Amino acid sequence: MIDVKRRLYVMICLSAVFLLLLAVAGCASPAEEEIIDQEEEEEVVEEEEEAVTEEVAEEQAGPLAVDEWQNPTDLVALLNTFEELEWTWTGIEDGIETDSFTVSYYHAGSETVNGVDTSIAVITFEGQDIKAWVDQDGNVAQVEIDGQIIPGEQAAMMLDGMVMSLFWPFWMVDEYDVRGMLEEPIPGVEWSTISTTQEQFNGVGAEVTRLQLELSPPATPEGEEATVIWAVADFADLQMLVEWRVEETEVDDFAFTMSVDKIVLR
């Protein structure tokens, strides 16, 4: 009952004030009315400017705008975007780089397989080539490993596991929602810009922004704080993560560096 009475009392007071304002406005002279109109217009303009300012601030909540984000996690994305791409993964233990592996990809043209037009992707890992014929919908026509041709469905099942393993750094970019955190960091993430430089990737220039992120709960589990470096390359019509380095962490198996060493865009 108390809440209801309070609400009724507030509504009565507001109604009385509103009626009083109407009465005053009705008695105002034309000059006074003009002044009031001008004040109202100024208030509207101020409100609109505040709204725009808030909207811009909202848009700039994160460190970077990434409207043309690319993160190749499948062969179709690779074939449509890159002629060549190479990346290296390096584990870090007690501040020392340990195990490392490099994966390279290149687009090897096109070919018709069993009446289907396909593009050819060649992925090299530890000296071994994996050659895959893929149509525009991502269906695998065949795979060649060590000179052996594996057809159709069997090839697709084999390739799915290989791609997920070899493309794991890029799957991780999606898993951690790097794009989302660039646009609007979540609680527990503090970022600062280290540098913005012009760099060359096989003759193609890109603006590379390096960011330092301090991660703590709730962004990470309790006791798993970390300092992370992200480098984002902007090729004007394409942005992608080209480096991910964990500088400090409380979890040994989380320390690593992922770096994209070579990019040739289609």
Side-chain angles (χ1 to χ4, degrees):
M1 286 293 293
I2 294 175
D3 289 340
V4 174
K5 287 180 180 177
R6 272 187 192 159
R7 283 183 194 140
L8 288 171
Y9 178 76
V10 169
M11 289 174 67
I12 291 168
C13 289
L14 289 174
S15 299
V17 171
F18 181 65
L19 290 172
L20 180 61
L21 289 173
L22 283 178
V24 171
C27 296
S29 65
E32 289 172 337
E33 288 178 359
E34 186 175 345
I35 292 171
I36 292 170
D37 289 341
Q38 288 176 352
E39 288 176 349
E40 287 177 350
E41 286 177 6
E42 287 173 2
E43 285 176 3
V44 169
V45 170
E46 285 176 3
E47 287 175 2
E48 288 176 351
E49 287 176 351
E50 285 176 6
V52 170
T53 303
E54 287 176 4
E55 187 177 342
V56 170
E58 208 173 295
E59 288 175 357
Q60 298 175 346
L64 286 176
V66 283
D67 299 329
E68 302 292 338
W69 184 254
Q70 290 287 341
N71 183 47
T73 54
D74 58 56
L75 289 176
V76 173
L78 274 173
L79 290 164
N80 289 341
T81 308
F82 304 95
E83 283 291 338
E84 298 182 49
L85 185 64
E86 181 176 290
W87 64 92
T88 299
W89 171 276
T90 304
I92 301 173
E93 189 172 346
D94 296 327
I96 300 172
E97 294 185 353
T98 55
D99 55 309
S100 178
F101 67 84
T102 297
V103 177
S104 61
Y105 147 89
Y106 71 91
H107 184 285
S110 59
E111 193 174 316
T112 301
V113 178
N114 297 326
V116 178
D117 294 332
T118 66
S119 295
I120 305 169
V122 178
I123 300 173
T124 302
F125 174 66
E126 294 188 343
Q128 184 178 54
D129 287 346
I130 303 165
K131 193 173 181 180
W133 286 256
V134 184
D135 70 16
Q136 62 181 0
D137 297 321
N139 301 310
V140 181
Q142 63 183 26
V143 170
E144 180 181 337
I145 302 175
D146 291 334
Q148 180 181 357
I149 298 292
I150 303 164
E153 189 173 337
Q154 184 182 353
M157 291 174 62
M158 179 181 294
L159 194 63
D160 282 347
M162 288 182 179
V163 169
M164 183 168 287
S165 298
L166 298 177
F167 285 52
W168 186 71
F170 298 100
W171 284 87
M172 185 178 65
V173 170
D174 279 349
E175 182 68 23
Y176 281 83
D177 189 20
V178 169
R179 177 179 183 173
M181 290 175 68
L182 288 172
E183 294 179 326
E184 187 174 355
I186 61 176
V189 177
E190 294 185 5
W191 59 269
S192 58
T193 302
I194 298 174
S195 63
T196 300
T197 57
Q198 288 292 327
E199 300 183 18
Q200 294 288 318
F201 293 85
N202 303 96
V204 180
E207 183 178 82
V208 178
T209 303
R210 283 182 170 78
L211 307 164
Q212 178 170 300
L213 294 92
E214 301 292 341
L215 308 179
S216 60
T220 63
E222 197 67 39
E224 295 187 11
E225 291 81 4
T227 301
V228 175
I229 305 297
W230 282 347
V232 179
D234 189 338
F235 295 91
D237 56 354
L238 180 152
Q239 300 100 31
M240 66 180 293
L241 191 77
V242 292
E243 183 182 339
W244 182 335
R245 181 179 181 87
V246 177
E247 294 284 289
E248 298 176 9
T249 178
E250 301 296 325
V251 187
D252 288 338
D253 60 1
F254 187 68
F256 63 85
T257 297
M258 184 277 279
S259 61
V260 176
D261 309 313
K262 185 175 186 180
I263 299 174
V264 180
L265 298 173
R266 295 203 67 186

